[in-house]
Amino acid sequence: MARATIPVYDVCTIDKNGQPLHLMVEDFAGYLDKHYQARHHPHRHAFYHLVMFTKGSGSHTIDFVKFEVQPFQIYFMAPGQVHSWDFKSRTDGYIIHFATDFFRSFLLNPNYLDQFSFFSGNSQQSVCQLPAYIQPEVTELFERLLREANQHPLLNMDMICLRLLELFITVERHTTRPGTAALTGHTSMQLRNFQQLINQYFRTKRLPKDYAAMLYITPNHLNALCRELLGKTAGDVIRDRILLEAKRLLTNADMSILEIAYDLNFKDNSYFTRFFRNYEGITPEEFRKKFITQ
């Protein structure tokens, strides 16, 4: 029997009911009525995705980290992350999808979204609990986005861009993510630059000194920065990114363990297996069985 793999959805395969193919804005309950069974199982997106819950219970999982659903919790996902839902009651809120190039014609800086910590691709930074005082303002922003999206898209696209950016800035200003320190000023920029470099080079560069050189700082300074803001060493941050990519690749049944090991630049399959088991407590094959139907 052919092995299943984690499906990858793009905006076009989510909804074709008149919405522009690079954007989708809906109330969450209506979206679930149409798509919950398909999205209940682990899947990936080829676009940016965010949800704010206003009611409901259960859990959602982002890159193999489980979070309990809470009212006025909002989560953000970057393209490529793996997630699933397991709701225990009627769940409502708002959901937005937008393509990776959605802001390209609107913003001069193509990397503008990188400044928002919740779009870093780190699941622990992706989930935000809105404080009570900001909940009405954020809810009204979602309502305005819904109204704009339901009108003529060509006339309202710039307004949608503005509202989305207002939403991102508002959430970034008023929330902190679990397990992270408040990031401000120059140290914040250094950490984000380090994380972006890891995303680009983690397959070939494994040592903190390599990244410190690219950041024009010393390895000791980089370690101190990571310990202060993340509670871990620079080496831990690099290792965690390699493990995350290994987990994502293991959800693809079309790749053998050997192919994954070579893709991640391990010298052989046994070395990759020892590395994975040392930090996860199980072998890659055992991890795969949790997510792939044989």
Side-chain angles (χ1 to χ4, degrees):
M1 180 182 296
R3 291 182 296 180
T5 188
I6 298 297
V8 180
Y9 298 109
D10 60 30
V11 179
C12 300
T13 60
I14 295 290
D15 184 38
K16 297 183 179 180
N17 297 322
Q19 293 278 22
L21 295 180
H22 52 300
L23 173 73
M24 191 210 76
V25 183
E26 288 192 16
D27 69 274
F28 195 49
Y31 178 85
L32 287 178
D33 288 342
K34 294 184 291 185
H35 300 295
Y36 179 67
Q37 288 304 318
R39 310 296 178 256
H40 173 72
H41 301 289
H43 60 278
R44 301 171 188 256
H45 295 157
F47 49 85
Y48 288 94
H49 161 81
L50 62 114
V51 169
M52 184 175 80
F53 302 112
T54 55
K55 68 176 183 179
S57 62
S59 65
H60 60 104
T61 301
I62 304 175
D63 276 337
F64 319 104
V65 179
K66 181 179 287 188
F67 301 90
E68 294 303 313
V69 171
Q70 300 180 45
F72 292 99
Q73 179 190 87
I74 181 170
Y75 74 81
F76 300 80
M77 286 181 52
Q81 293 186 275
V82 175
H83 89 126
S84 61
W85 297 317
D86 185 15
F87 299 134
K88 303 301 184 185
S89 65
R90 180 72 172 175
T91 305
D92 204 356
Y94 304 90
I95 183 169
I96 297 175
H97 299 153
F98 62 94
T100 55
D101 60 353
F102 181 69
F103 289 101
R104 182 167 297 171
S105 62
F106 188 77
L107 295 173
L108 182 62
N109 178 5
N111 301 314
Y112 185 83
L113 295 185
D114 291 345
Q115 70 180 296
F116 299 110
S117 57
F118 43 72
F119 279 136
S120 67
N122 182 324
S123 59
Q124 294 290 351
Q125 294 176 297
S126 299
V127 179
C128 315
Q129 188 65 41
L130 298 177
Y133 69 86
I134 202 66
Q135 291 170 8
E137 180 178 340
V138 173
T139 300
E140 179 57 26
L141 280 171
F142 275 104
E143 286 292 332
R144 290 177 180 177
L145 282 161
L146 272 174
R147 291 195 293 269
E148 294 292 344
N150 288 328
Q151 297 179 37
H152 195 292
L154 294 179
L155 298 178
N156 296 299
M157 201 54 60
D158 284 353
M159 185 60 72
I160 290 174
C161 288
L162 286 171
R163 296 297 186 204
L164 275 174
L165 294 175
E166 184 179 2
L167 173 66
F168 301 158
I169 292 169
T170 300
V171 173
E172 183 78 6
R173 283 177 174 176
H174 296 282
T175 64
T176 57
R177 265 60 61 198
T180 63
L183 305 182
T184 59
H186 184 59
T187 56
S188 169
M189 185 60 64
Q190 285 184 321
L191 177 61
R192 288 172 184 165
N193 287 342
F194 176 46
Q195 292 171 325
Q196 290 168 14
L197 286 171
I198 292 174
N199 285 335
Q200 186 175 357
Y201 295 110
F202 69 89
R203 282 180 170 84
T204 56
K205 297 184 184 297
R206 304 288 174 87
L207 300 178
K209 67 177 183 179
D210 296 328
Y211 293 95
M214 289 188 284
L215 293 167
Y216 300 102
I217 59 177
T218 67
N220 285 340
H221 179 75
L222 180 60
N223 258 323
L225 180 85
C226 292
R227 286 188 182 278
E228 177 187 357
L229 299 179
L230 299 177
K232 57 181 69 176
T233 68
D236 291 337
V237 179
I238 298 167
R239 180 206 68 208
D240 288 348
R241 182 63 184 87
I242 297 167
L243 282 169
L244 173 58
E245 193 66 21
K247 292 175 182 178
R248 289 176 176 175
L249 292 174
L250 285 166
T251 65
N252 181 1
D254 294 330
M255 292 185 72
S256 68
I257 304 299
L258 179 61
E259 289 171 330
I260 292 171
Y262 285 141
D263 181 87
L264 294 175
N265 204 30
F266 285 88
K267 61 182 180 181
D268 57 46
N269 184 28
S270 60
Y271 182 36
F272 169 63
T273 297
R274 288 196 303 272
F275 169 84
F276 193 91
R277 183 171 51 201
N278 186 43
Y279 293 108
E280 290 300 313
I282 58 176
T283 66
E285 292 87 350
E286 291 168 335
F287 179 88
R288 167 170 275 178
K289 288 178 182 178
K290 294 182 178 181
F291 297 94
I292 300 297
T293 302
Q294 299 294 333

